[in-house]
């Protein structure tokens, strides 16, 4: 009986997502000047709807000792595909995503209309243009989210972080809010070779362990660092410590 009720709830959540997605796609046809007034707020609600439909249980752990700043740059490790909707479900941010996200079925159109920034990771001129866009967005008052590993690297951190978030923080004097992400069923959530978006969504929906932990810590202050290299290294070393702490 409980199993039946659980699947009824999942069906209702999935239907809710389908209807919400259709509304978002229709609204995405409006001019960008109009969308800016309301679409980002709807996008965050849509992301929460998406997480519910997946059946994922995101647990937010607030380790910080004081309230988060109103204006910030959010960074996180990138162990899976869930972050594309999981982070905006909890934080009012514009994300930096790989250029390929634009082509994702339905999701790409909604993400673009919501003001997501895109970058071709292997193209230097695209990376430089994205850096300029990030600085402009922050100076306009937007909170942004990006993943300094430069892509999904699974359970363990990449060998290093890229400088983009730290250069943007120094250029705009905006604090960085760090979030460490931990999936209890990491192998199911991370991208696998040759796996499509729909296959990944199904894998997350059918995961036997849907629990994901988002650990939020006190912000890093740009005034504490002389340059982006020292800034990046200090934050990376802190992530290494969190990795040892949370990934036993």
């Amino acid at each position: 009986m409980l199993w039946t009720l659980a699947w009824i709830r999942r069906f209702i959540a999935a239907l809710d997502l389908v209807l919400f997605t259709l509304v978002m796609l229709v609204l995405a046809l409006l001019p960008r000047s109009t969308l800016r007034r309301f679409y980002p707020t709807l996008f965050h609600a849509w992301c929460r709807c998406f997480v519910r439909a997946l059946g994922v249980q995101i647990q937010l752990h607030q380790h910080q000792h004081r309230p988060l700043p109103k204006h910030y740059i959010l960074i996180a490790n990138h162990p899976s595909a869930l972050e594309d909707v999981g982070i905006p479900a909890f934080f009012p941010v514009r994300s930096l995503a790989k250029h390929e996200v634009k082509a994702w079925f339905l999701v790409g159109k909604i993400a673009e209309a919501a003001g997501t920034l895109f970058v071709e990771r292997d193209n230097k001129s695209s990376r430089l243009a994205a850096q300029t866009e990030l600085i402009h967005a922050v100076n306009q008052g937007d909170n942004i989210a990006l993943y300094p590993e430069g892509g999904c690297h699974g359970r363990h951190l990449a060998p290093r972080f890229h400088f983009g978030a730290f250069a943007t923080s120094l250029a705009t004097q905006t604090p960085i809010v760090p979030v460490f992400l931990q999936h209890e069923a990491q192998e199911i959530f991370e991208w696998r070779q040759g796996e499509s978006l729909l296959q990944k969504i199904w894998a997350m929906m059918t995961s036997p362990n849907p629990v994901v932990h988002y650990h939020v810590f006190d912000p890093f202050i740009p005034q504490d660092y002389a340059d982006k290299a020292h800034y990046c290294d200090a934050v990376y070393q802190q992530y290494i410590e969190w990795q040892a702490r949370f990934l036993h």
Side-chain angles (χ1 to χ4, degrees):
M1 182 64 178
L2 291 177
W3 182 88
T4 302
L5 290 174
W7 276 101
I8 289 174
R9 286 196 297 269
R10 293 288 295 278
F11 174 78
I12 293 173
L15 182 60
D16 187 29
L17 176 62
V18 169
L19 296 176
F20 202 163
T21 299
L22 291 175
V23 172
M24 293 292 281
L25 289 171
V26 171
L27 292 175
L29 299 175
L30 295 173
R32 290 296 174 85
S33 57
T34 302
L35 289 176
R36 281 197 295 266
R37 302 173 190 171
F38 66 90
Y39 203 87
T41 300
L42 283 180
F43 176 69
H44 298 305
W46 178 79
C47 288
R48 291 190 291 272
C49 181
F50 206 134
V51 171
R52 284 195 300 272
L54 291 173
V56 175
Q57 301 171 22
I58 298 178
Q59 299 182 5
L60 190 67
H61 305 272
Q62 296 176 298
H63 301 280
Q64 75 271 19
H65 297 94
R66 54 187 180 274
L68 295 180
K70 292 183 178 180
H71 190 211
Y72 55 83
I73 297 166
L74 184 148
I75 66 168
N77 54 315
H78 202 0
S80 80
L82 178 66
E83 289 80 69
D84 293 319
V85 292
I87 289 293
F90 279 86
F91 302 94
V93 293
R94 293 178 65 187
S95 298
L96 177 67
K98 62 181 180 180
H99 188 265
E100 291 83 353
V101 170
K102 276 189 177 183
W104 283 4
F105 180 65
L106 303 181
V107 175
K109 185 67 175 177
I110 293 172
E112 185 177 9
T116 299
L117 304 170
F118 297 99
V119 61
E120 296 179 45
R121 292 172 180 163
D122 297 327
N123 185 314
K124 184 177 180 180
S125 62
S126 177
R127 294 197 303 271
L128 291 173
Q131 182 73 69
T132 300
E133 285 188 85
L134 287 171
I135 292 173
H136 179 68
V138 174
N139 282 333
Q140 281 189 317
D142 292 334
N143 297 330
I144 61 171
L146 60 162
Y147 306 96
E149 291 179 278
C152 290
H153 285 269
R155 179 179 176 85
H156 295 287
L157 294 170
R160 68 182 183 91
F161 280 172
H162 294 274
F163 289 148
F166 311 100
T168 302
S169 175
L170 288 169
T172 61
Q173 292 297 287
T174 303
I176 286 179
V177 171
V179 183
F180 188 88
L181 312 182
Q182 171 199 1
H183 297 67
E184 293 192 3
Q186 177 59 49
E187 291 185 3
I188 292 174
F189 280 83
E190 68 184 41
W191 282 108
R192 299 175 183 176
Q193 188 68 28
E195 194 171 37
S196 70
L197 176 61
L198 291 178
Q199 288 173 324
K200 184 76 271 170
I201 289 173
W202 178 250
M204 289 189 284
M205 289 183 71
T206 57
S207 172
N209 186 345
V211 179
V212 180
H213 303 276
Y214 283 12
H215 300 275
V216 185
F217 293 90
D218 282 318
F220 292 94
I221 308 302
Q223 292 85 349
D224 293 341
Y225 303 95
D227 54 52
K228 64 184 181 182
H230 288 91
Y231 198 175
C232 179
D233 184 63
V235 175
Y236 182 76
Q237 292 306 316
Q238 182 61 75
Y239 267 81
I240 289 292
E241 292 183 20
W242 290 333
Q243 177 174 258
R245 174 179 172 183
F246 296 115
L247 303 184
H248 304 296

